Amino acid sequence: MMNKLIYSRKFLLQPLLANLQVQANSDTNGQLSSLVNQVKANDCKAETLTELMQSGLLDKAIYVNQTAQLEQDTYQCREKIKQFNSNNTDSANNFENVRTLLHWCQQGQKLSGFNKAPFQDFVQQIVVNSPKEAVFKLKCGLRLTEKLTKAACLDEHFYRGVIRQRFSEPIRQAEYLYSIIESEGDLIG
């Protein structure tokens, strides 16, 4: 998988990095500031309604109805603001992780065997779909499906090695193995 990324960095990783940068610089800041302004405007309207009701110029039923609408609108705006902030954080993390992966791939050091350092740096999780297919979930958000060769399928100690690298304590290794035995029992070895 890593060798494929090295080979395809110019038409896979570089455009991905550029698209993530464009996405980060898109109009979300304009939408975000619009939502913040809407919350401020709703706060001002609520204050005005309160002053009008206290001075006797506004009926209490109208005040309650209008205040409830403003509170609902403000709540929805705040939820959208939270979502934008969360998405921006995720996008920034993905951008940085893709940039780091691209930098590593640009060094062009093709791998002839398993190398622990790039695996730990770039791979978040491996999901084994079948004895012949695994999905590598990278820290940058990519999910890359790999067809396992016959040699990889027959190497019963491969998965134990990956688990040992992920969990240093034997108890954690056993707990993890137990959690995947039911669905992936024939692959553990």
Side-chain angles (χ1 to χ4, degrees):
M1 178 203 59
M2 296 304 290
N3 287 339
K4 288 179 185 176
L5 289 174
I6 291 169
Y7 176 74
S8 64
R9 68 186 178 272
K10 289 183 181 176
F11 59 89
L12 179 79
L13 294 178
Q14 287 177 348
L16 174 61
L17 187 65
N19 288 337
L20 286 172
Q21 189 169 20
V22 167
Q23 181 183 15
N25 295 332
S26 67
D27 190 34
T28 57
N29 288 337
Q31 293 173 352
L32 188 59
S33 64
S34 173
L35 288 169
V36 169
N37 289 337
Q38 182 66 38
V39 169
K40 289 178 183 177
N42 287 350
D43 289 344
C44 289
K45 289 177 186 176
E47 287 177 25
T48 304
L49 287 172
T50 301
E51 290 172 5
L52 289 173
M53 210 274 293
Q54 288 175 347
S55 65
L57 298 173
L58 185 64
D59 184 51
K60 185 170 183 159
I62 295 173
Y63 168 79
V64 170
N65 185 24
Q66 292 295 315
T67 303
Q69 287 178 356
L70 286 173
E71 287 174 358
Q72 180 64 26
D73 186 50
T74 299
Y75 174 78
Q76 289 175 352
C77 288
R78 287 191 173 137
E79 288 300 309
K80 288 178 183 177
I81 289 169
K82 286 179 190 176
Q83 184 178 7
F84 274 127
N85 288 335
S86 175
N87 290 344
N88 286 344
T89 300
D90 291 344
S91 294
N93 289 339
N94 286 344
F95 176 81
E96 193 58 37
N97 288 330
V98 169
R99 193 171 72 140
T100 304
L101 177 61
L102 178 60
H103 177 71
W104 184 85
C105 288
Q106 286 173 332
Q107 295 172 8
Q109 299 174 349
K110 294 191 177 176
L111 303 174
S112 59
F114 179 75
N115 187 336
K116 183 178 179 178
F119 179 82
Q120 290 178 333
D121 289 343
F122 304 116
V123 178
Q124 179 178 5
Q125 181 182 23
I126 300 173
V127 176
V128 180
N129 291 332
S130 72
K132 296 183 180 184
E133 182 182 275
V135 177
F136 289 81
K137 295 181 180 181
L138 303 184
K139 292 178 182 176
C140 66
L142 286 174
R143 296 172 190 267
L144 305 174
T145 302
E146 279 292 315
K147 302 293 181 200
L148 300 177
T149 63
K150 186 174 182 178
C153 292
L154 297 176
D155 185 3
E156 63 185 34
H157 300 291
F158 171 77
Y159 296 99
R160 288 189 186 272
V162 169
I163 292 168
R164 280 188 200 104
Q165 290 172 3
R166 189 149 204 208
F167 303 104
S168 60
E169 300 171 11
I171 296 293
R172 296 286 297 145
Q173 292 173 13
E175 290 171 349
Y176 181 75
L177 279 171
Y178 182 79
S179 72
I180 60 172
I181 282 174
E182 188 171 323
S183 62
E184 307 296 339
D186 59 326
L187 298 177
I188 294 172

